[in-house]
Amino acid sequence: MPPKKQVEEQKVLLGRPGNNLKAGIVGLANVGKSTFFQAITRCPLGNPANYPFATIDPEEARVTVPSKRFDQLCQIYKKTASEVPAHLTVYDIAGLTKGASAGEGLGNAFLSHIRSVDSIYQVVRCFDDAEIIHIEGDVDPVRDLEIISTELRLKDIEFAEKALEASNKITKRGGQSLEVKQEKEKAALIERIIDLLKDGHRVANQTWTPKEVEAINSMFLLTAKPCIYLINLSERDYIRKKNKHLLRIKEWVDTYSPGDIIIPFSVCLEEKLSHMTEEEGAEELKKLGVQSALPKIITTMREKLDLISFFTCGPDEVREWTIRKGTKAPQAAGVIHNDLMKTFILAEVTKFEDVLEYQDEAAIKAAGKLQQKGKNYVVEDGDIMYFRAAAGKN
């Protein structure tokens, strides 16, 4: 008999499933979060102020995703009526303080805002400025990292202990039912998570089985969210690529948040560039000999969230759509319109590289580069897609 075909187990991701995922900007008060939000969204806030709790409700904006592929497609379809790039939704969340997990400084409200997002940009202050008050009195980024980590972990311990209490109520019934067996396994997992959190580690940085991931996702833990550490330097330090705190920050992240990404940037520089035209900004960056960190900050978060893009192109519109890696064709169609998913028949797919090479739909078809895919097709990053659905919908 031929050997059985190995079926690859699909990876189950930590966090909320879906394609419209949100990133929250987190940090202590007065580390540059709101100014960073203004710069990344080019969207003025009501009050980026020099005192704690200036931002009470989270501000929300959509950030355009830098995409060389989108720009190239717009050039190919340059007579198209509309060009719509991909977006990432970003929230500016008010500054945390020591004791937030116990309700200090409006802490419970802030932590609930963090719970509602899918990933975290953690802004860490590494610049000295006597005019901008630091809530802890001086600049010490590792201490600040510890404060944020502690508050999120303490809240997660609280969430986990409540979940454990609920599981124990079921296991105390006894018996050998499937429900009791499952709850015993879940209780053992929660106890491991509590020990992990008490040891100073984040849930997101551990290896979990698909079954464990499903249980963790049901708890909506703060430390289960992907995190990127944004190290806010002075403009001078960013240009010279040096800061006395960087090595200590890397050592802390390697120990307590291993595998997570550190991106140095300068809010001061980015804020200045946000008030310039594209041409003026490019000239300023050329003069300084640096690049803006914002494109990397946006695209890296998309990668952390396992987000990819497909495109729809034609005489009316070039559009980049965001989906989760592993999404099948009908669900990708549903991102455009729910009816397309319900009445999906097939997808016509062209690879981005083939569009670049042939640059003409007739030539693409003649070369056999237009493929028809059914309901089980897993969309690949960069696919150009046309959907056929019942009732003539495309």
Side-chain angles (χ1 to χ4, degrees):
M1 290 180 66
K4 287 185 178 180
K5 187 177 179 181
Q6 293 292 320
V7 178
E8 187 177 338
E9 189 172 25
Q10 188 171 357
K11 181 183 177 185
V12 181
L13 300 171
L14 280 171
R16 179 174 64 97
N19 304 310
N20 184 26
L21 302 182
K22 305 165 187 175
I25 304 171
V26 172
L28 294 181
N30 296 348
V31 297
K33 298 185 313 306
S34 294
T35 308
F36 166 59
F37 180 89
Q38 286 184 342
I40 199 170
T41 62
R42 289 183 176 253
C43 173
L45 285 173
N47 55 353
N50 183 24
Y51 53 87
F53 320 129
T55 310
I56 303 302
D57 295 317
E59 302 274 353
E60 174 185 352
R62 294 199 308 168
V63 177
T64 299
V65 175
S67 173
K68 185 179 179 182
R69 294 179 306 189
F70 176 75
D71 294 339
Q72 289 172 313
L73 289 171
C74 289
Q75 282 298 310
I76 293 170
Y77 293 86
K78 48 182 169 283
K79 292 182 181 179
T80 199
S82 176
E83 299 172 359
V84 185
H87 292 89
L88 177 69
T89 303
V90 178
Y91 285 78
D92 177 45
I93 298 173
L96 286 171
T97 59
K98 192 184 293 184
S101 58
E104 294 291 329
L106 304 177
N108 285 328
F110 298 164
L111 289 167
S112 72
H113 292 152
I114 298 172
R115 206 176 190 194
S116 70
V117 299
D118 302 288
S119 61
I120 293 171
Y121 285 121
Q122 184 167 330
V123 180
V124 184
R125 177 174 171 175
C126 278
F127 66 90
D128 292 300
D129 188 332
E131 294 184 4
I132 301 178
I133 304 162
H134 192 294
I135 196 167
E136 292 297 317
D138 62 347
V139 175
D140 183 346
V142 171
R143 176 206 57 213
D144 296 353
L145 285 164
E146 287 282 2
I147 290 173
I148 298 292
S149 172
T150 298
E151 297 307 322
L152 299 188
R153 286 186 297 104
L154 286 174
K155 203 66 183 177
D156 274 357
I157 290 170
E158 181 185 320
F159 294 145
E161 287 176 342
K162 287 179 180 177
L164 181 60
E165 185 180 339
S167 287
N168 285 339
K169 283 181 181 178
I170 296 172
T171 60
K172 283 176 182 176
R173 297 175 193 166
Q176 299 298 317
S177 71
L178 180 60
E179 183 188 17
V180 169
K181 182 183 176 184
Q182 289 174 337
E183 288 300 328
K184 283 182 178 178
E185 292 174 355
K186 186 175 181 180
L189 169 64
I190 296 170
E191 287 172 349
R192 280 171 50 206
I193 290 171
I194 292 171
D195 289 341
L196 180 83
L197 292 166
K198 287 180 177 178
D199 286 340
H201 298 285
R202 284 169 27 86
V203 173
N205 303 103
Q206 315 304 314
T207 301
W208 307 102
T209 67
K211 192 173 181 180
E212 289 170 338
V213 168
E214 288 181 6
I216 292 168
N217 285 346
S218 70
M219 296 160 61
F220 303 102
L221 299 176
L222 303 176
T223 64
K225 300 178 188 297
C227 182
I228 294 175
Y229 296 93
L230 303 181
I231 312 305
N232 186 8
L233 308 174
S234 67
E235 183 176 329
R236 177 175 176 271
D237 283 357
Y238 181 70
I239 293 168
R240 66 193 189 107
K241 297 181 173 63
K242 289 183 180 179
N243 182 275
K244 62 184 179 182
H245 299 294
L246 288 177
L247 180 58
R248 291 177 59 231
I249 291 170
K250 184 180 184 304
E251 289 172 347
W252 187 92
V253 172
D254 287 347
T255 302
Y256 297 107
S257 198
D260 281 332
I261 296 168
I262 299 169
I263 302 179
F265 79 123
S266 171
V267 161
C268 179
L269 174 61
E270 301 294 354
E271 195 268 340
K272 183 168 68 175
L273 293 171
S274 72
H275 296 291
M276 298 180 179
T277 65
E278 190 173 334
E279 293 75 17
E280 290 169 342
E283 187 63 33
E284 178 70 11
L285 290 169
K286 184 179 179 182
K287 183 177 75 175
L288 297 174
V290 295
Q291 297 292 322
S292 166
L294 297 189
K296 182 179 181 181
I297 288 170
I298 297 166
T299 56
T300 303
M301 183 57 83
R302 271 172 56 94
E303 291 168 10
K304 289 282 280 186
L305 287 168
D306 272 336
L307 297 174
I308 60 172
S309 295
F310 74 91
F311 300 87
T312 51
C313 304
D316 297 324
E317 182 180 78
V318 173
R319 185 162 184 156
E320 182 171 358
W321 301 88
T322 298
I323 56 171
R324 206 86 181 261
K325 194 181 294 181
T327 300
K328 292 185 177 181
Q331 286 70 43
V335 174
I336 299 174
H337 196 288
N338 198 43
D339 286 346
L340 282 176
M341 180 173 67
K342 292 177 181 177
T343 57
F344 176 90
I345 296 173
L346 61 83
E348 294 182 345
V349 182
T350 310
K351 297 303 174 186
F352 174 77
E353 295 75 16
D354 293 329
V355 172
L356 276 192
E357 180 178 352
Y358 296 97
Q359 302 206 6
D360 177 80
E361 288 185 20
I364 290 168
K365 288 180 181 178
K369 299 297 183 179
L370 182 64
Q371 305 171 5
Q372 291 190 343
K373 300 292 184 178
K375 292 182 178 181
N376 291 323
Y377 176 68
V378 177
V379 179
E380 296 181 0
D381 189 33
D383 280 351
I384 288 86
M385 306 188 75
Y386 299 87
F387 296 101
R388 296 199 179 277
K393 294 180 180 179
N394 292 292

